[in-house]
Amino acid sequence: MNKLPPAIGFSARASGEMPLEWAYELEEMGFSAIELVQEGKQKITAENIDRVQQIKDTTNLTFTIHMPFSDINLATLNPGIHKEIIRQMGHCLHMASGLAEIAVIHPGYLSPEGALYPEKAWDNTIGSLKEISTIAVEEGIMLALENMPAMPHIFGKYPAEILEIIEKVDSDNIGMTLDIGHANTMGLLDEFLDSCREVMVHSHIHDNHEKRDEHLPLGKGCIDWKKVFDRVDGYEGLFITEMKNLENGTECMEYLKSNLIL
């Protein structure tokens, strides 16, 4: 008998004027986790941390965070910018300590200067993740490196890249966020499911038509979700639906309940 995956969470970047208020609707919708993007109004700060803690204390939601990625490049060759990125990442981890169990993080990308020295940019990505992983250990949070969609100049689009980065960071505190939608835009979903299952500690789920990163509700694109969930049978981590709004989240839950329960 097919069954609903055990832990489905919700994340949305475009969260409106009250990004923390919709947290109280999630359990009724069927979600058991929430992922807060550490940008804009969702970012955990000294001003809203009591509110975030209150949500954690008054719900049964598991909390994860998505580390900031706007204007962030772990592969930067600029020492001053690198120092600031590590500082900001460390601050996010510190603020989320005791709240979140996992922090999703993007690999770096080739800046115009990095494109001239791609091997150095690659090494800087690994070095940055080593530094951030050390901080994450101190804060009691697991890092989860996310595979990227079909975009130019970005690291982490291929299974071999993700595996090599994790191997070279060489920490028990880093695994992989397998983003199913991103893998599909690369036409490499089967390859990711085959080769990265052992390092998978977290997952993002959203649909697309393989050509671009659309972040559609499940069932609105071309991904065979029954096949996906069959392939990760035994995985006990979270599946986070990365949607545009709560309405799309509702569509995901309705699809899962209708198509994965007999």
Side-chain angles (χ1 to χ4, degrees):
M1 176 179 291
N2 295 327
K3 61 181 180 180
L4 194 68
I8 305 293
F10 177 81
S11 178
R13 291 187 68 201
S15 54
E17 293 303 310
M18 296 186 293
L20 298 178
E21 297 307 314
W22 42 255
Y24 284 104
E25 301 180 42
L26 297 183
E27 288 181 292
E28 186 175 345
M29 294 167 63
F31 292 105
S32 57
I34 181 172
E35 187 161 290
L36 293 176
V37 181
Q38 296 306 286
E39 297 188 343
K41 295 181 179 181
Q42 291 188 42
K43 185 176 181 179
I44 302 172
T45 65
E47 288 71 32
N48 69 10
I49 192 168
D50 289 343
R51 180 62 169 151
V52 177
Q53 184 67 57
Q54 181 185 43
I55 295 169
K56 185 173 179 65
D57 291 344
T58 56
T59 69
N60 292 312
L61 295 171
T62 297
F63 274 66
T64 64
I65 61 170
H66 196 307
M67 299 289 270
F69 49 89
S70 296
D71 305 315
I72 300 290
N73 181 12
L74 300 189
T76 181
L77 301 186
N78 184 311
I81 291 175
H82 171 263
K83 182 177 180 180
E84 176 60 19
I85 287 172
I86 300 302
R87 186 196 69 80
Q88 290 197 25
M89 294 297 206
H91 180 70
C92 286
L93 290 168
H94 178 69
M95 295 303 295
S97 183
L99 292 167
E101 299 180 357
I102 281 180
V104 178
I105 191 165
H106 287 185
Y109 57 88
L110 294 177
S111 65
E113 184 184 11
L116 298 176
Y117 308 100
E119 291 183 1
K120 177 61 176 174
W122 174 260
D123 290 342
N124 279 13
T125 292
I126 294 166
S128 295
L129 285 166
K130 284 184 176 182
E131 292 185 66
I132 297 166
S133 177
T134 298
I135 299 169
V137 170
E138 296 170 353
E139 302 296 351
I141 299 175
M142 182 79 172
L143 282 187
L145 182 67
E146 183 176 3
N147 59 296
M148 293 289 97
M151 297 171 58
H153 313 304
I154 196 164
F155 295 131
K157 293 185 290 187
Y158 301 96
E161 289 183 327
I162 292 290
L163 292 171
E164 182 177 344
I165 292 171
I166 291 174
E167 179 184 5
K168 289 188 174 180
V169 172
D170 192 24
S171 169
D172 292 335
N173 201 56
I174 186 169
M176 178 187 184
T177 292
L178 177 53
D179 190 302
I180 302 297
H182 289 176
N184 196 55
T185 67
M186 291 294 295
L188 295 174
L189 182 51
D190 285 339
E191 287 83 348
F192 269 103
L193 290 168
D194 285 339
S195 60
C196 295
R197 176 67 181 82
E198 289 188 3
V199 297
M200 177 184 173
V201 297
H202 194 60
S203 182
H204 286 165
I205 53 176
H206 47 91
D207 219 328
N208 58 60
H209 294 92
E210 199 172 326
K211 302 300 182 183
R212 60 188 180 90
D213 190 26
E214 298 172 274
H215 282 259
L216 300 174
L218 307 191
K220 299 296 184 180
C222 67
I223 296 175
D224 184 341
W225 289 102
K226 182 181 183 303
K227 178 182 176 182
V228 168
F229 288 118
D230 284 345
R231 291 283 297 279
V232 296
D233 185 49
Y235 164 73
E236 297 180 351
L238 297 172
F239 293 96
I240 302 293
T241 59
E242 285 193 311
M243 294 292 108
K244 298 173 183 176
N245 50 49
L246 282 176
E247 290 75 19
N248 286 168
T250 298
E251 291 182 69
C252 287
M253 291 305 299
E254 290 175 349
Y255 174 84
L256 286 168
K257 291 175 181 178
S258 297
N259 292 276
L260 295 176
I261 294 179
L262 296 180

